[in-house]
């Protein structure tokens, strides 16, 4: 389960997606996120929004050159029924034509 909400010191951190700026492309609109599963969690005593197994976020991009390398930083937290791992961060480099 990948947690999304809420932004609090207790419980899960929300997923954060950021793009490294470049003259090679422009972001069009905001990142589209599918509807998460929302449930009350007895452990943290609050409603949590999360995804199970996998999730796909979408971002429209306008290329200003024939090719571009898009770098995306994703911060997330993974949990199970008992505990959460510390928040993690990955950076993806995506070549586009």
């Amino acid at each position: 389960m990948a947690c999304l909400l809420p932004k609090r010191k207790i419980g899960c951190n929300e997923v954060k997606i950021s793009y490294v700026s470049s003259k090679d492309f422009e972001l069009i609109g905001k990142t589209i996120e599918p509807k998460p599963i929302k449930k009350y969690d007895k452990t943290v005593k609050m409603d949590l929004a999360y995804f199970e197994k996998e999730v796909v976020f979408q971002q429209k991009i306008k290329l200003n050159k024939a090719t571009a390398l898009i770098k995306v930083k994703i911060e997330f937290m993974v949990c199970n029924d008992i505990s959460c791992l510390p928040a993690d961060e990955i950076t993806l480099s995506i070549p586009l034509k």
Side-chain angles (χ1 to χ4, degrees):
M1 143 171 96
C3 293
L4 287 181
L5 301 172
K7 263 191 183 174
R8 290 182 53 170
K9 292 181 181 177
I10 300 173
C12 295
N13 295 337
E14 70 177 16
V15 172
K16 295 178 190 173
I17 300 174
S18 57
Y19 302 84
V20 176
S21 295
S22 171
K23 294 178 183 179
D24 297 346
F25 68 90
E26 296 175 38
L27 301 178
I28 299 173
K30 295 184 178 186
T31 302
I32 299 168
E33 160 187 316
K35 185 177 177 181
I37 300 165
K38 294 182 181 180
K39 288 186 184 176
Y40 181 79
D41 186 280
K42 294 177 189 177
T43 306
V44 294
K45 298 179 183 169
M46 62 179 31
D47 290 325
L48 297 179
Y50 61 92
F51 298 110
E52 290 182 328
K53 299 184 184 173
E54 70 177 42
V55 61
V56 176
F57 295 93
Q58 298 178 19
Q59 176 65 56
K60 288 186 180 183
I61 294 173
K62 176 185 173 189
L63 294 180
N64 296 329
K65 290 177 49 177
T67 63
L69 182 66
I70 299 174
K71 293 187 179 183
V72 183
K73 184 172 92 173
I74 305 169
E75 298 175 54
F76 62 96
M77 181 178 269
V78 178
C79 303
N80 63 20
D81 292 345
I82 299 169
S83 65
C84 294
L85 294 174
D88 200 358
E89 176 183 303
I90 60 171
T91 300
L92 303 175
S93 294
I94 305 165
L96 293 179
K97 294 181 183 183

